[in-house]
Amino acid sequence: MTKVALSQTLTPQQIQYLKLLQMPLQQLEQKISTELEENPFLDTADYDTYSSAGDDFNLSFAENPGETETDPAEIESSGQDYQHQIAEIKDPFEYYRRIWEEDEIISRKQKADYFEDEEDWEPFQIKATTTFHQELIDQLRMLNLSKEDSLLGEQILGNVEDDGYLRCELSEIVADTNALIAEINIENQKDDMLSNEKHSNNPAAAFAITEDAKNRVEKVLGNHTNEQEGSKLLKPVTLEDAERVLKIVQNLDPPGVASRNLQECLIAQTNAFPYEVAGRNDALRILTDGYELFSKKHFSSLLKQLEMTEEQLRSAIDFIKKLNPKPGYSDSPAEFNTVIPDFIVEKDPDTEELLVTLNESTVPTLRINKVYEQMRKDAKLKKENKETKEWIKNKYDNAKFLIQALSQRRATMLKVMTAIVGRQKDFFYYGPSTLKPLIYKDISEDTHLDIATVCRIVNNKFVQTQFGTFELKYFFSESLPSENGVEVSTKVIKQVIKEIITNEPKDKPYSDERIVEELKKLGYIVARRTVAKYREQMKIPVARLRKEL
């Protein structure tokens, strides 16, 4: 018995369109830039090479563009003649060469026009940047370390992660360093053997002082303090050597880098401060001798163990709070963390209506290149070879599809964003406290788009509002019932929980049960488990760990 089933498959163009929908603004810019480079049929709408009145285009063939004036009639005539010459070429390779030659002339003309008024223009220079790891290695190499210690230090820094911590075992680093030392020694021995061969061929070698005799003389004169000194062979390193070099590395800038845990990081940073800094000495005692009690905030036990007063403990804690728990994060340049919004929602100053704008100010408007469009038309009339016609057709079809797909992308994205604004209108007028429950299905029904399409548009997209820039996912959340039966967004509940914890007594933080009671006073019915779940999602510790003096 034969089974018949229907299946739906996506065409390559549909797949490409879905990828365009999913791209955030920066990826879209890169995609368009790549297509402009690879497809000669694509052109930007602001490419002011041709006359906007029709298919005729204007070209100037002066040797020094911008220096001589040419009659517009002559330019138009020469441009038409040049177009006619290109159309008469039968060799496809010569055809393309003339087209590229024309593009080069246009490029030179545009550059001359752009810079003709810039008398003081200087070439733009890209500033060299040094990475976080390279800065540390440069600092290490400035220290007066032995070759073995330098190799060990560089191996340690090579295993430091982006947050500044060393999570590789020192024993593994020692093994890797010794393997590197063995390779260096083998190379040095080869060099010594080659040197000895050259030296043995010299007749004067028979009268040269031996290396052993040379070392004895230097020892007597006091110039030879180490029996290994003068030898090119490096000594293997030990775990004790690694611990010693690690302390040196942890004193580099920023202090605490290459620490294996938070305690070691804070101790290294504390040691970098002068003794006279307020709270420094007591902080070092706490981190060294009472870290477990301090981490659990058992302050009463800590006071008894270290025989401190509350004032001393408070001063030490204030000092510790100023330390950096992640010394490597300062390496991230600010521009890499900048969010470029895909949408802008703002109020009309006259009507107070909300205006939704797609932020594509940096995305060029594409069109079909007129020169290559003419080439496509000529190819239909002439007897071009099959490969040439196929290449022209594919490039033209791809360019036309991309232009249409980008236009459709704009319309679809605006449709989804407009639907979100319609559902969350109060948010855009009054702020996050008025956020309503919203799911993808709601937007799908409003826009008549598939839920999968809505998800593609929402993912990794941002919107700029008067209250800040938000990820589109922020506007979607489940709901919880309030005391009066109104559905409330879970994001609003989380914000209320955060505010309750912020305003709680610092010496007696609220338990989850107490937070439930406070929520009930405000009209929110939330279970204790839900409070605990939301608190953990917001990375807020339990009450005991929130306690302060």
Side-chain angles (χ1 to χ4, degrees), residues 17-18 21-22 412-413 416 440 443-444 447-459 461:
Y17 173 65
L18 292 176
L21 277 180
Q22 201 161 358
T412 306
M413 288 186 67
V416 170
Y440 291 118
I443 302 300
S444 175
T447 59
H448 305 289
L449 296 171
D450 292 339
I451 294 179
T453 302
V454 174
C455 290
R456 284 188 175 92
I457 293 174
V458 169
N459 286 342
K461 307 293 193 313

Side-chain angles (χ1 to χ4, degrees), residues 260-451:
R260 290 164 289 188
N261 52 58
L262 179 58
Q263 180 185 11
E264 195 172 62
C265 177
L266 297 178
I267 289 174
Q269 290 184 53
T270 304
N271 282 325
F273 280 87
Y275 286 93
E276 59 271 14
V277 175
R280 183 262 187 200
N281 298 334
D282 290 328
L284 187 59
R285 288 178 60 201
I286 291 172
L287 295 172
T288 306
D289 302 325
Y291 182 75
E292 185 175 354
L293 292 174
F294 170 73
S295 62
K296 295 179 179 179
K297 295 203 172 183
H298 292 167
F299 296 133
S300 57
S301 301
L302 190 63
L303 290 171
K304 291 178 182 179
Q305 178 178 320
L306 299 180
E307 298 180 351
M308 283 184 179
T309 65
E310 286 192 9
E311 185 60 33
Q312 287 177 311
L313 180 58
R314 189 176 291 107
S315 177
I317 291 175
D318 289 341
F319 175 88
I320 294 172
K321 284 181 179 179
K322 296 175 183 178
L323 302 178
N324 184 7
K326 302 249 177 110
Y329 277 159
S330 59
D331 182 47
S332 301
E335 60 267 23
F336 291 164
N337 299 324
T338 302
V339 172
I340 300 177
D342 301 85
F343 302 94
I344 299 173
V345 177
E346 53 191 352
K347 287 191 295 184
D348 186 289
D350 299 324
T351 64
E352 292 293 314
E353 289 292 325
L354 293 172
L355 303 177
V356 181
T357 307
L358 185 62
N359 181 23
E360 288 193 343
S361 57
T362 57
V363 177
T365 303
L366 301 181
R367 70 175 184 182
I368 300 296
N369 184 292
K370 292 187 179 181
V371 174
Y372 284 90
E373 169 69 7
Q374 184 63 42
M375 182 177 72
R376 184 183 71 87
K377 293 177 181 178
D378 293 341
K380 289 183 178 180
L381 302 175
K382 296 183 178 181
K383 294 182 179 180
E384 301 283 359
N385 60 62
K386 183 179 179 181
E387 290 80 7
T388 302
K389 285 187 175 181
E390 186 175 348
W391 179 87
I392 292 173
K393 183 179 184 303
N394 288 338
K395 291 296 184 182
Y396 175 76
D397 289 345
N398 290 340
K400 193 172 181 181
F401 167 76
L402 181 61
I403 293 171
Q404 294 172 347
L406 288 174
S407 177
Q408 184 64 33
R409 177 186 184 272
R410 294 186 190 98
T412 306
M413 288 186 67
L414 282 172
K415 184 186 292 186
V416 170
M417 189 67 235
T418 303
I420 294 174
V421 172
R423 289 272 186 168
Q424 299 286 9
K425 187 175 291 186
D426 288 344
F427 169 89
F428 292 97
Y429 279 119
Y430 309 111
S433 61
T434 59
L435 197 68
K436 296 178 180 178
L438 182 66
I439 58 177
Y440 291 118
K441 185 179 179 182
D442 297 332
I443 302 300
S444 175
E445 291 174 352
D446 291 348
T447 59
H448 305 289
L449 296 171
D450 292 339
I451 294 179

Side-chain angles (χ1 to χ4, degrees), residues 488-537:
V488 181
S489 169
T490 55
K491 283 189 170 65
V492 173
I493 300 293
K494 288 181 181 180
Q495 184 61 32
V496 174
I497 292 174
K498 189 175 181 180
E499 291 174 1
I500 290 173
I501 292 175
T502 301
N503 297 322
E504 69 187 359
K506 302 305 178 185
D507 56 338
K508 291 182 180 180
Y510 292 157
S511 63
D512 292 341
E513 290 84 356
R514 178 63 186 275
I515 294 174
V516 170
E517 295 175 6
E518 295 295 323
L519 285 169
K520 192 173 182 181
K521 292 178 184 178
L522 298 172
Y524 302 111
I525 303 172
V526 186
R528 187 197 62 81
R529 287 185 180 180
T530 306
V531 169
K533 182 178 74 172
Y534 290 169
R535 179 178 50 74
E536 290 171 0
Q537 288 176 355

Side-chain angles (χ1 to χ4, degrees), residues 136 139-140 143 145-146 148-161 164-174 177 237-265 267-269 271 327:
L136 292 169
Q139 291 181 53
L140 185 72
L143 302 177
L145 300 178
S146 65
E148 292 87 347
D149 286 353
S150 295
L151 290 173
L152 193 51
E154 291 188 17
Q155 288 293 316
I156 290 173
L157 289 174
N159 286 279
V160 171
E161 299 186 6
Y165 281 87
L166 178 68
R167 294 185 174 89
C168 180
E169 294 294 333
L170 276 184
S171 57
E172 296 179 14
I173 293 176
V174 168
T177 306
V237 297
T238 64
L239 194 59
E240 290 75 16
D241 294 329
E243 289 284 356
R244 175 176 49 80
V245 174
L246 180 62
K247 300 300 180 188
I248 297 174
V249 170
Q250 289 175 354
N251 287 326
L252 298 176
D253 187 28
V257 73
S259 296
R260 290 164 289 188
N261 52 58
L262 179 58
Q263 180 185 11
E264 195 172 62
C265 177
I267 289 174
Q269 290 184 53
N271 282 325

